[in-house]
């Protein structure tokens, strides 16, 4: 029976360690060293396999994981989507514009209703960070489609 | 260079106007980050790393020391004001700190916390100054076998001391080590587990893992709490302490500072154990144990001085051996390496200026925290009123800047998100994240020393038990792994018997 969290995780981890072991054994040989690059990964793979078996048979000490309140999973997924968009647009659109869009949209989505202060913060902050990084710290952030 | 000379040169840099202002900036930034519920020193240091990139290392060290102390204090402040500890070591601070704040004595509680941290930090830095060079001398004779044994012991003790199931902690550590094997193998040049992806050739940057597992994963719990208005509205009250109060505190604070240091030096133990132990021992020793939990000033001061002292004590193995003993010092090691500082036994003899620079920075960070940061706390805590939705967006943005500012690759940002997701599930299933981060950082070093040792011995594993130091360390590592497992096994056995009798009875 795969009823408890420990059993589920035990199986998942055992599968992961099996895959890891498979790729460890596939590593090319390099004959001129006493300990080749596959030695440590193979040992680690077996340790993880052993631990996942232990986990499978160990009794859950804690109660089953708390359920997320209704709709919260969707909110977290939506934020995840925003973050992925942020990353994808960062280089094409540039740091200032992307960050402005992300902060304003994400904050509004999570329930920040004051549009004016939202716009001010999400404009002022990326601009000041951008100039701090580019002028003072000499770290180039993507400028994107903006001219500076 | 004598100890005295070393300290003087260290302080020369730290006490310049530039030096002081960098410490100050660090302390304030650290306090702000530490105050955000769920974010602690690990996140604060990790976020600041790209900023120190390309800075004068001496000044960057000062900044980092400030961030380190500031974020620990920020955590204490949010424990006192909001009853929301940023990380486990600040939990005992809430026991008496929050009741004091509710009684309208928030100002006093914050002052006591700052004073206790300051004393703990001071005593600890003095002991560190005396102890680290001595340990470094011993460590110079260490070969790869001893280093491997030492790191294994550190990792094992961290795993067995972390809260919750030991098996889960060990799994975390093993997975961290496995992640460390990704990339080009330094000895053979074999590309391991990169699947032809150029971005994985150099391995995964530790910042990606630190910010993903700690900061980004924490964002999800901030999202769940976004509607709660957890701001502090009652009066701050005076920050002054009476003479009688200072007298009452002096003995427990000194005692806990010494004890905290010893716990901090031991790998694996660290701040959390020090602060809980500090709280419990002072409650036992107190003449008024009934006041504990209701706003006792000793109950607030004891864990604060203990954990601050332990945090500095953890710098002993970091600076003298080059081995971090906790998640926080692991990130600190990463920060030092970015600055071109490689801690280890040779640092004290070869680069005394850097070693003493670190020590002086820590000390000045501690002083600035008390005299400049404390008066600003009422204003800094106004930032707690930043609405949660905005706060969430900002934390995510800082994580992204942190990673992008050091790697300049969007690929690493996707990795960051993946580790954020892993961290989220780990937190929900009670897998501790600190052993994974530590194992990831130690992993590369451990593999290197293991293979060096085996090269010396021509492949014979006996090298680890023939040397007395490594044999002892390995024995401790083995025991710290096997004892908790035996305990759970025995508990399981007795539970199992109980169940059997239950079913027979029904």
């Amino acid at each position: 029976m795969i009823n408890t969290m420990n059993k589920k995780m035990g199986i998942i981890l055992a599968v992961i360690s099996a895959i890891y072991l498979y790729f460890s054994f596939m590593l090319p040989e390099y004959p001129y060293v006493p300990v080749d690059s596959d030695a440590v990964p193979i040992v680690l793979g077996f340790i993880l396999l052993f631990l996942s078996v232990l986990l499978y048979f160990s009794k859950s000490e804690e109660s089953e994981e708390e359920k997320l309140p209704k709709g919260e999973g969707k909110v977290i997924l939506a934020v995840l989507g925003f973050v992925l968009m942020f990353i994808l647009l960062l280089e094409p659109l540039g740091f200032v514009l992307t960050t402005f869009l992300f902060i304003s949209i994400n904050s509004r989505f999570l329930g920040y209703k004051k549009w004016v202060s939202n716009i001010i913060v999400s404009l002022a902050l990326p601009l000041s960070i951008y100039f701090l990084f580019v002028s003072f710290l000499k770290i180039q952030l993507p400028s994107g489609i903006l001219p500076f | 260079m004598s100890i005295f000379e070393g300290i003087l040169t260290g302080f020369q840099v730290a006490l310049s106007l530039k030096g002081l202002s960098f410490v100050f900036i660090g302390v304030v930034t650290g306090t702000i980050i530490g105050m955000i519920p769920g974010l602690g020193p690990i996140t604060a240091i990790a976020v600041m790393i790209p900023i120190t990139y390309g800075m004068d290392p001496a000044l960057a060290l000062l900044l980092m020391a400030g961030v380190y102390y500031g974020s620990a204090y920020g955590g204490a402040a949010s424990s006192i004001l909001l009853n929301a500890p940023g990380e486990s070591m600040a939990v005992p601070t809430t026991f008496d700190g929050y009741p004091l704040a509710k009684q309208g004595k928030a100002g006093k509680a914050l002052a006591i916390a700052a004073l206790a941290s300051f004393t703990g930090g001071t005593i600890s830095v003095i002991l560190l100054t005396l102890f680290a060079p001595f340990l470094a001398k011993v460590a110079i004779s260490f070969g790869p076998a001893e280093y491997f044994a030492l790191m294994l012991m550190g990792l094992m003790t961290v795993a067995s001391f972390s809260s919750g199931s030991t098996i889960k902690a060990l799994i975390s550590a093993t997975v961290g080590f496995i992640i460390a094997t990704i990339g080009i193998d330094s000895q053979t040049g074999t590309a391991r587990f990169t699947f032809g992806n150029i971005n994985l050739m150099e391995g995964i940057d530790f910042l990606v893992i630190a910010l993903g597992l700690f900061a980004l994963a924490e964002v999800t719990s901030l999202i769940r709490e976004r509607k709660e208005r957890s701001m502090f509205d009652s009066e701050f009250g005076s920050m002054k302490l009476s003479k009688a109060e200072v007298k009452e505190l002096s003995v427990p604070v000194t005692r806990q500072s010494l004890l905290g240091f010893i716990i901090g030096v031991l790998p694996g133990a660290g701040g959390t154990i020090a602060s809980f132990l500090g709280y419990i021992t002072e409650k036992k020793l107190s003449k008024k144990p009934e006041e504990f939990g209701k706003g006792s000033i000793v109950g607030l001061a004891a864990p604060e001085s203990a954990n601050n002292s332990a945090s500095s004590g953890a710098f002993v193995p970091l600076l003298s051996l080059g081995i971090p003993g906790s998640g926080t010092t692991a990130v600190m090691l990463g920060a030092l390496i970015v600055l071109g500082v490689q801690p280890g036994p040779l640092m004290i003899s070869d680069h005394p200026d850097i070693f003493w620079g670190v020590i002086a920075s820590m000390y000045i960070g501690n002083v600035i925290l008390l005299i400049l940061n404390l008066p600003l706390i009422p204003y800094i805590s106004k930032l707690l009123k930043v609405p949660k939705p905005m706060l969430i967006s900002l934390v995510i943005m800082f994580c992204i800047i942190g990673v992008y500012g050091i790697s300049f690759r969007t690929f690493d940002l996707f990795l960051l998100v993946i580790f954020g997701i892993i961290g989220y599930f780990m937190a929900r299933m009670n897998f501790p994240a600190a052993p994974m981060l530590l194992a990831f950082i130690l992993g590369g070093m451990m593999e290197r020393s293991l293979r060096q040792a085996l090269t010396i011995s021509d492949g014979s594993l006996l090298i680890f038990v023939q040397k007395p130091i490594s044999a002892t360390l390995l024995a401790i590592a083995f025991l710290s792994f096997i004892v908790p497992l035996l305990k759970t096994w025995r508990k399981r056995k007795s539970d199992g018997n109980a169940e059997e009798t239950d079913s027979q009875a029904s």
Side-chain angles (χ1 to χ4, degrees):
Chain A
M1 281 291 282
I2 314 171
N3 43 9
T4 67
M5 196 38 81
N6 280 356
K7 287 204 166 51
K8 265 186 228 163
M9 275 317 292
I11 290 172
I12 293 171
L13 286 164
V15 171
I16 291 174
S17 55
I19 297 170
Y20 182 71
L21 275 171
Y22 171 76
F23 283 109
S24 305
F25 280 113
M26 294 287 282
L27 282 172
E29 234 175 275
Y30 184 85
Y32 309 109
V33 282
V35 192
D36 203 357
S37 59
D38 60 349
V40 169
I42 288 172
V43 173
L44 285 172
F46 279 115
I47 292 176
L48 187 63
L49 191 62
F50 171 68
L51 288 170
S52 51
V53 172
L54 279 185
L55 183 68
Y56 182 88
F57 288 108
S58 72
K59 224 180 162 91
S60 296
E61 288 148 9
E62 56 281 331
S63 53
E64 286 300 287
E65 57 168 329
E66 33 162 350
K67 284 269 177 291
L68 279 176
K70 234 183 174 178
E72 286 300 272
K74 275 185 196 150
V75 175
I76 291 174
L77 278 179
V79 174
L80 180 68
F82 290 146
V83 174
L84 291 177
M85 287 304 288
F86 186 176
I87 297 172
L88 281 172
L89 294 176
L90 183 62
E91 281 180 346
L93 279 187
F95 175 76
V96 177
L97 213 55
T98 328
T99 313
F100 163 69
L101 288 174
F102 174 74
I103 297 182
S104 51
I105 294 173
N106 192 51
S107 307
R108 176 66 195 85
F109 174 76
L110 291 172
Y112 187 59
K113 293 214 172 65
K114 295 175 193 152
W115 269 114
V116 178
S117 40
N118 190 349
I119 301 276
I120 291 173
V121 173
S122 45
L123 258 183
L125 208 70
L127 273 173
S128 37
I129 290 173
Y130 184 78
F131 285 110
L132 176 77
F133 269 64
V134 173
S135 326
F136 283 96
L137 303 166
K138 309 275 180 237
I139 298 173
Q140 192 63 46
L141 293 172
S143 56
I145 51 174
L146 292 180
F148 44 82
Chain B
M1 199 186 275
S2 73
I3 289 185
F4 187 68
E5 256 178 277
I7 296 175
L8 270 187
T9 15
F11 275 104
Q12 241 165 16
V13 184
L15 286 174
S16 64
L17 187 65
K18 227 177 173 180
L20 284 177
S21 42
F22 271 85
V23 181
F24 182 62
I25 295 170
V27 167
V28 173
T29 324
T31 311
I32 293 171
I33 299 175
M35 263 196 195
I36 300 171
L39 304 188
I42 291 182
T43 313
I45 296 167
V47 166
M48 293 301 277
I49 286 175
I51 293 181
T52 63
Y53 209 66
M55 230 185 231
D56 174 8
L59 292 176
L61 275 179
L62 286 163
L63 185 78
M64 279 305 182
V67 171
Y68 185 63
Y69 281 113
S71 54
Y73 186 66
S78 76
S79 297
I80 291 168
L81 297 175
L82 304 174
N83 201 16
E87 53 165 355
S88 54
M89 76 175 186
V91 171
T93 310
T94 60
F95 297 166
D96 284 294
Y98 188 59
L100 274 171
K102 275 204 296 197
Q103 293 162 21
K105 292 179 193 162
K108 184 177 269 185
L110 288 165
I112 291 172
L115 208 62
S117 312
F118 172 76
T119 317
T122 304
I123 292 179
S124 196
V125 170
I126 293 170
L127 293 173
L128 168 66
T129 314
L130 302 172
F131 202 62
F134 168 73
L135 192 61
K137 251 178 217 153
V138 177
I140 282 182
S141 65
F142 278 18
E146 281 88 352
Y147 265 105
F148 174 76
L150 191 67
M151 286 187 269
L152 189 67
M153 184 193 75
L155 203 53
M156 286 299 191
T157 41
V158 167
S160 54
F161 276 124
S162 54
S163 55
S165 145
T166 310
I167 297 175
K168 286 183 177 175
L170 287 170
I171 289 173
S172 271
T174 315
V175 173
F177 205 148
I178 284 177
I179 298 166
T181 60
I182 297 173
I184 286 190
D185 173 38
S186 57
Q187 288 195 348
T188 60
T190 312
R192 297 191 293 191
F193 318 111
T194 56
F195 305 104
N197 191 326
I198 307 166
N199 293 310
L200 285 173
M201 287 290 186
E202 283 169 36
I204 296 171
D205 197 280
F206 85 99
L207 258 187
V208 171
I209 295 183
L211 286 176
L213 288 185
F214 288 85
L216 211 53
E218 194 57 45
V219 164
T220 53
S221 56
L222 283 175
I223 290 176
R224 266 189 283 170
E225 293 155 11
R226 69 186 181 281
K227 285 170 195 141
E228 290 167 23
R229 297 173 71 81
S230 61
M231 51 183 73
F232 175 74
D233 283 324
S234 46
E235 279 299 299
F236 255 90
S238 156
M239 284 196 169
K240 286 204 177 77
L241 297 176
S242 71
K243 266 192 181 151
E245 284 169 327
V246 173
K247 211 179 151 199
E248 191 188 345
L249 289 175
S250 58
V251 176
V253 163
T254 317
R255 183 164 45 213
Q256 291 311 322
S257 303
L258 293 171
L259 215 66
F261 177 78
I262 297 169
I263 296 172
V265 171
L266 302 174
T272 308
I273 294 182
S275 63
F276 274 97
L277 207 65
Y279 188 81
I280 296 163
T281 46
E282 288 310 323
K283 190 176 176 180
K284 283 220 173 96
L285 292 168
S286 171
K287 286 178 196 122
K288 302 178 277 188
E290 71 281 356
E291 275 185 13
F292 275 66
K294 291 174 193 149
S296 155
I297 56 170
V298 176
L300 169 63
E304 270 305 297
S305 46
N307 78 38
N308 221 31
S309 181
S311 308
S312 313
F315 273 77
V316 171
L318 178 66
L319 293 179
S320 56
L321 306 173
I323 296 174
S326 65
T328 314
T329 41
V331 177
M332 202 64 188
L333 175 68
L336 291 174
I337 290 173
V338 169
L339 296 175
V341 176
Q342 176 67 58
L346 293 175
M347 184 167 102
I348 299 177
S349 51
D350 293 358
H351 302 283
D353 49 328
I354 294 173
F355 174 76
W356 294 110
V358 176
I359 303 257
S361 308
M362 289 174 72
Y363 195 67
I364 298 293
N366 216 358
V367 175
I368 295 287
L369 180 70
L370 186 69
I371 57 174
L372 280 181
N373 200 32
L374 183 58
L376 288 178
I377 282 288
Y379 307 100
I380 295 178
S381 63
K382 288 229 163 68
L383 288 170
L384 288 173
K385 295 194 177 176
V386 172
K388 284 259 171 71
M390 185 58 87
L391 190 66
I392 294 164
S393 310
L394 298 185
V395 172
I396 296 173
M397 178 194 72
F398 279 114
C399 289
I400 288 182
I401 298 178
V403 171
Y404 194 85
I406 207 137
S407 79
F408 304 103
R409 284 189 306 215
T410 35
F411 178 81
D412 282 6
L413 295 177
F414 287 115
L415 277 182
L416 171 76
V417 174
I418 292 173
F419 279 102
I421 296 170
I422 295 175
Y424 165 73
F425 282 107
M426 282 173 67
R428 283 193 65 188
M429 293 169 193
N430 294 317
F431 280 87
M436 189 188 272
L437 178 64
L438 187 62
F440 173 76
I441 291 191
L442 289 179
M445 292 195 262
M446 279 174 80
E447 184 176 5
R448 203 173 315 128
S449 47
L450 173 75
R451 285 160 73 179
Q452 279 168 356
L454 289 177
T455 308
I456 293 169
S457 73
D458 216 12
S460 160
L461 283 167
L462 283 176
I463 186 172
F464 293 105
V465 284
Q466 279 164 345
K467 296 195 169 194
I469 297 178
S470 91
T472 319
L473 292 170
L474 283 177
I476 299 172
F478 183 69
L479 282 177
S480 64
F481 156 72
I482 218 74
V483 170
L485 279 186
L486 275 179
K487 256 190 200 158
T488 45
W489 182 71
R490 268 173 54 188
K491 211 174 105 199
R492 216 166 69 87
K493 210 176 156 194
S494 56
D495 284 0
N497 287 342
E499 259 172 38
E500 263 170 40
T501 40
D502 273 1
S503 54
Q504 275 168 3
S506 64

